Amino acid sequence: MPKIAITDYTFPDLSLEEAVLHPAGIEIVSFKEKRSPAELADLVRDADAVIAQFAPVNAEVVAAMTKAKVIVRYGIGYDNVDFTAARERGIPVCNIPDYCIDEVADHTLAFILAITRQVVPNALDIRAGKWGLATPLTAMASLKHLTIGIVGFGRIGREVVKRLLAFKARVLVFDPVVAADEIAKAGAVAAASFDELLTQSDIVSPHCPSTPKTKQLFNAAVFAKMKLGSIFINVGRGDLADSAAITDALQSGHLAGAALDVFDPEPIPADHAIRTMPNVILAAHIASASPPAVKTLRETAARIALMAVRGEPLPNIVNGVTAA
């Protein structure tokens, strides 16, 4: 009987995956929580396909795979999978690039609106029995009067731009692989450089994948180039930003605020200073969540694994391997 290994999952059960795989005669073996590389290596050793959520599928784990025809990531990002090691072994790595586009774009806008309209401080003041404006008037802003910088013009970046334009914001976009006229057709303004976006934007929000070139793209030097009193939003990947640099910029007042669905590391340490900052909105990497999105994610991952077991062509290969 073919076997599919699921390294970890945060869902209540695997009923959706079972509904796809069991009728095809596929056995599922899994861990619910993240395990050590040695334990993961044992789990995946004789699996015909591997599905991973957050577990680190590193070179040691990949090297243990003797039969795997694919590694599927539950999600858009795949930086927890050593896709280079997989490529060297001839194992395709596939992601699910289009399952939560609207959810993440909505969450981005929710963060931007919450922080510019100071929703959280005002709600907390009412809960504490107070009445009136909870923050200085200068902390309140209308998107119509702001310039918002979007870094990355992929699926999610484009949807964020659409939403911002509906609120009459001026939107700058920097993406070195997208033509300026394509950005202009979407109603935004193409920034001539990353630095131009940083110096002109009141709010900056990255929507790019985590790659060797983008990891810690937002570091101390970059935050220093942003406007004094600007805001940083991150619903992408935690390692796009240097966490110490975010914290320092907030503590110094150079950043007026931040809204972060992702962080490095996750979970955020219980004693981390950013957890208690009143000008920061935090969430536990949940921007992609909705019942339809999670259903699509899980069923798509299972179907890709099944396609690999059957020897069918695979979609969404991110490491350049066309056949297992």
Side-chain angles (χ1 to χ4, degrees):
M1 178 182 291
K3 179 188 296 185
I4 290 177
I6 299 178
T7 62
D8 63 308
Y9 59 96
T10 55
F11 324 119
D13 54 45
L14 292 174
S15 57
L16 292 178
E17 292 80 358
E18 290 167 355
V20 173
L21 297 171
H22 282 177
I26 305 292
E27 177 189 2
I28 299 174
V29 295
S30 65
F31 289 136
K32 178 115 174 47
E33 307 293 341
K34 287 193 285 185
R35 301 292 185 94
S36 70
E39 291 173 304
L40 291 174
D42 286 339
L43 180 76
V44 305
R45 196 173 307 280
D46 62 346
D48 296 275
V50 176
I51 301 175
Q53 190 173 25
F54 299 119
V57 183
N58 60 21
E60 176 187 345
V61 178
V62 173
M65 299 178 188
T66 61
K67 298 171 62 179
K69 298 178 175 66
V70 72
I71 301 169
V72 186
R73 168 87 219 294
Y74 275 129
I76 297 174
Y78 46 90
D79 46 301
N80 62 310
V81 177
D82 191 330
F83 54 89
T84 301
R87 182 171 60 242
E88 292 170 353
R89 295 288 307 282
I91 304 172
V93 175
C94 298
N95 68 341
I96 319 294
D98 53 3
Y99 83 98
C100 62
I101 306 304
D102 288 315
E103 285 80 2
V104 177
D106 287 354
H107 210 90
T108 303
L109 196 69
F111 269 174
I112 291 172
L113 289 170
I115 207 161
T116 55
R117 301 308 304 158
Q118 293 296 309
V119 172
V120 175
N122 281 285
L124 292 176
D125 255 24
I126 296 294
R127 189 177 299 173
K130 301 177 184 178
W131 191 260
L133 191 60
T135 61
L137 182 63
T138 52
M140 306 288 286
S142 167
L143 297 192
K144 180 180 179 179
H145 300 115
L146 299 180
T147 295
I148 301 176
I150 302 298
V151 181
F153 200 56
R155 291 177 176 89
I156 294 173
R158 291 167 194 254
E159 288 297 323
V160 172
V161 168
K162 289 178 185 177
R163 287 156 172 76
L164 290 170
L165 291 174
F167 281 81
K168 305 178 183 178
R170 176 175 181 257
V171 183
L172 276 179
V173 173
F174 176 74
D175 191 321
V177 301
V178 178
D181 61 349
E182 186 176 346
I183 293 170
K185 286 177 183 175
V189 177
S193 66
F194 184 44
D195 281 0
E196 180 184 72
L197 180 140
L198 296 173
T199 57
Q200 291 193 18
S201 298
D202 301 292
I203 299 172
V204 175
S205 182
H207 297 280
C208 44
S210 173
T211 69
K213 289 185 178 180
T214 62
K215 283 185 178 180
Q216 299 206 344
L217 175 65
F218 287 86
N219 51 39
V222 165
F223 285 125
K225 291 177 182 178
M226 288 173 61
K227 282 185 176 182
L228 178 65
S230 57
I231 294 165
F232 181 64
I233 309 289
N234 191 5
V235 299
R237 309 301 290 178
D239 63 7
L240 294 177
D242 180 330
S243 299
I246 298 175
T247 307
D248 290 345
L250 288 162
Q251 289 175 329
S252 72
H254 191 84
L255 284 179
L260 311 169
D261 183 57
V262 291
F263 202 74
D264 186 18
E266 291 178 3
I268 302 173
D271 60 350
H272 199 291
I274 206 162
R275 279 181 174 258
T276 59
M277 291 182 179
N279 57 340
V280 178
I281 299 172
L282 297 172
H285 204 145
I286 50 83
S288 62
S290 79
V294 173
K295 184 175 187 291
T296 298
L297 171 71
R298 296 172 59 187
E299 291 178 343
T300 304
R303 289 189 187 111
I304 293 174
L306 179 58
M307 292 167 69
V309 172
R310 289 174 169 171
E312 298 171 1
L314 301 177
N316 313 327
I317 296 172
V318 298
N319 68 335
V321 179
T322 56

